[in-house]
Amino acid sequence: MRENSRSHKAQVVIDRMGKKLSRQMVGSLVGCVHCGLCTDSCHYVLANPEDPTFAPAYKADRIRRIFKHHYDWTGRFFPWWVKAGTVLTDAELEELKDIAFGKCTNCRRCSLNCPMGVDFATVNRMARGLLVSVGVMPEGVAHVSKDQWEIGNQMGVLKEDYLETLEWMSEELQDEVEDPAAVIPVDQHGCEVVYAINPREVKYDPRSIADAAKIFWAAGEDWTMASEGWDMTNFGLFSGDDDLGGAVARRLYEKVEELGGKRLVISECGHGFRSTRCEGPNWAKYDVGFRMESSIDTMLRYIAEGRIEVDKSRNSLPVTYHDSCNMARSCGVTEEPRELLRQVCADFREMHPNRAENFCCTGGGGAMSMSEYTAQRLTSAKVKAEQLRETGAAVVVTSCHNCVDGLTDLIRHYKLDMKVTQLVNLVAEALVIEERIPAVPAVEVAEVAVLTGRKIVVADDEPDQVIYLKSVLEDHGAEVHTAEDGDAALELSKRLKPDLLTLDLAMPGREVTEIFDILRGQSDLADLKICIITGRPEMRKLIYERMDAPPDGYLDKPVEEEELILAVRKILEIKVH
Amino acid sequence: MSDVLYFSEHTLQEIALVFMGLVYVLRIRWLLRFKASQERQPTGARDSRAPLKGILYSWANIAMPWSMESSRKHLWMYGQFVVFHLGVVASIGLSFIIPYAPSLLENGPLVLLLQVVIGVACFVGLLRVIRRVSSPHMRAISSPDDYFSLILLTVWFFFAFLAVPNDTSAGEWHLLAFFLLTAFFLVYVPFSKISHYLYYPFTRYYLGKSMGYRGVYPLHTGSKAKAV
């Protein structure tokens, strides 16, 4: 095909590349000597040693060839000599998409291992941005970006749901600490701290909001959360879309300034911290006038200042720490989490390699929203699984919500006996506030029959799982019916009109995603709440690639009792007083 | 010394050097045409913004094999890198010593030292050719320029090794070959991967600056946490 028959999208990509090129990027594009030293720094290569197409230099060359052909004289005059080439068709852009999004998590491990200082992650991000600008991207990336542009957060959490969750968590906190003043303040002006979170916390992990609130309360902090502009995540980092990155960051900065906050505290999220703290001011071209810190720094500061007291014996299980790529390799946060862990855990074990040399959780770079690459991602997770196994720890702690999801997936896939948690959960657990907490928390008494009068259908084909879920839910007062496949779940849902259906995705018979679509399409089941309880990461299609309303809740197997009841209560909006 | 050898050692080298310098000036101008990103970093608990430290660390990285896993894990490769580049320096030096300070080569130990360095570099060049040809991962990332540059350098080392004694008693062909190849290199290098040393300060500068601003460089290896 001749160059004059290049597709419109390919032409736009080439033209925009010229505008995106900075001196740093050009340095990285011309500086590679193909020495191959970056090769085994990449977890994709280590997990696929026979396939040279995973090598960082190879992947970078798919982008570099276009640059050379169009912007570098060697490639223009002697293209075959330096392997320069162009893109002509949309199919070639799709191939590039599979490399830029599917074969790299932008973890930057190869960048730090390149003797020449070639920053492949930055080049790859540029390629992603170019592809996104012409609409060539994984479907999940499109959905998440759209939500962040239009709704203001990347999980499409509506304002009322967010505020309800804060209210609910306030009530939980008040019950737990028996202090009516223990509330999550919203839109308070002139506070010392404005706390920004990841929407995943609202949707799937509200406990972390309550734990953070408990710590702020214990420290006597003057703090607030914002009713809008509260999302500190930024999909622009993953999609390479600087416009989105700038808009999201600006939204957050402006909100903090509007509230007159003196310090923005960013909850534990690797890409959120990097985007907000390090990249956002550059994307948004915004000179931030307040201080910014990770909640890790905040918690450490509270301990150092004696504002909170912690007892490490309350976290007695062996714990290891997974450094998030964005925190460690792109923001230099390596020692603070360790110092905190040593104060709140009795048995901390280092993972090797660690800090800036740690391996990616394999869910980074937005990989968790790209279900088409799940199999490839989980194969590459072999390296991380080995790292985790070798620690002998029962708990892996990470300061990143993406890592929580990525690690949870690989722990399940490689059948590791570990659970994932965050520093905020451990610090909250270790808090010493004995004089304010009664010996037997009233909330536990109230929870015994908290589901009384609720009808729940449990759909799962694993008898052990069914027995477990049924007994836990019945113990809390629910009326439980069971189904062993999707059709039975459908039939029971139509007949019994339950309040909630818990749905496993790997059941015999019809594809459960199809059952989900049918349920969502039934007008007489419009009020039916659905909670996915699954061991299949592919379920993220339902969250990120949805046509209809997403599930109301999502839990990873194995599910702990407290986690299950908390999720069910949140979905059914049951408050305990 | 024949007129041809004299021309190769002097006039040809000087022309080639001027050409290389000119192309390099153009190349750097081209590179500087691209905008350099600005760094805006807010204050925070982590006020370890040290771009200068980051830049210096980044530049020095190559001399600290312990600082990068890729060199730490592949010390054999790192050793090859050191010897190979010492060979380059020695051969370039030789291309100036022979025409402008030949008396230095009357010093036996210096001749021996140069021959050892260049000879080992030539051997390393051979190893590198074998690695590039035999490893599927290396083949996948190699362009004709990569093969050509490496083979040419190895051959250049070979003739440099022969040229070190600056002895024409057995003929001038080895000296002639060395200087013709040197002149060819001077003209070819700006268009090939060999010009990476021109880019090295830039790539490392910007990576170091960015990582310094973010507190990543110098890398932490387990020291106490920064003050909060």
Side-chain angles (χ1 to χ4, degrees), chain A residues 23 27 33-34 40 49 72-73 81 83 109 113-114 116 278-279 282 291 297 331 335 339 357, chain B residues 27 34-35 40-41 44 46 69-70 72 74 132 137 142 146 188 193 203-204 206 214 223 225:
Chain A
R23 207 175 293 162
V33 290
H34 296 143
D40 58 6
D72 188 4
W73 58 18
W81 191 245
K83 279 194 173 174
R109 200 166 191 276
N113 274 297
C114 172
M116 282 294 296
C278 301
E279 316 296 351
N282 298 312
R291 293 176 71 84
D297 296 309
C331 297
E335 306 315 308
E339 193 167 324
E357 291 187 351
Chain B
R27 196 68 175 155
F34 295 96
K35 63 183 183 301
R40 284 184 173 85
Q41 295 290 307
R46 192 163 292 92
E69 184 195 77
S70 55
R72 209 170 53 234
H74 302 287
R132 194 166 284 278
H137 280 93
S142 297
D146 292 317
Y188 176 69
K193 66 173 275 185
T203 53
R204 280 267 155 213
Y206 287 114
R214 287 155 177 73
S223 55

Side-chain angles (χ1 to χ4, degrees), chain B residues 20-131:
Chain B
M20 186 185 78
L22 191 69
V23 179
Y24 273 169
V25 168
L26 293 175
R27 196 68 175 155
I28 290 173
R29 260 192 69 196
W30 168 78
L31 187 61
L32 295 178
R33 262 182 30 216
F34 295 96
K35 63 183 183 301
S37 307
Q38 276 194 319
E39 276 287 356
R40 284 184 173 85
Q41 295 290 307
T43 52
R46 192 163 292 92
D47 278 338
S48 56
R49 295 169 296 161
L52 185 62
K53 252 169 119 176
I55 292 162
L56 293 175
Y57 179 85
S58 182
W59 274 336
N61 222 340
I62 204 69
M64 301 186 291
W66 59 89
S67 68
M68 275 194 302
E69 184 195 77
S70 55
S71 45
R72 209 170 53 234
K73 266 174 66 179
H74 302 287
L75 280 175
W76 171 237
M77 287 298 298
Y78 183 78
Q80 286 185 26
F81 152 80
V82 172
V83 169
F84 192 80
H85 286 81
L86 283 177
V88 171
V89 172
S91 300
I92 291 171
L94 186 67
S95 72
F96 286 96
I97 291 172
I98 291 176
Y100 303 115
S103 59
L104 284 177
L105 297 174
E106 288 163 13
N107 181 334
L110 178 66
V111 170
L112 184 66
L113 179 68
L114 285 173
Q115 281 201 307
V116 168
V117 171
I118 294 170
V120 178
C122 183
F123 178 67
V124 166
L126 276 174
L127 292 179
R128 289 182 154 205
V129 172
I130 292 167
R131 174 173 174 255

Side-chain angles (χ1 to χ4, degrees), chain A residues 1 3 6 10 14 65-66 69-70 84-89 92:
Chain A
M1 189 183 286
E3 293 213 7
R6 180 180 288 117
I14 291 162
R65 64 196 290 275
I66 303 168
H69 187 91
H70 294 279
T86 189
V87 277
L88 295 169
T89 65
E92 286 172 317

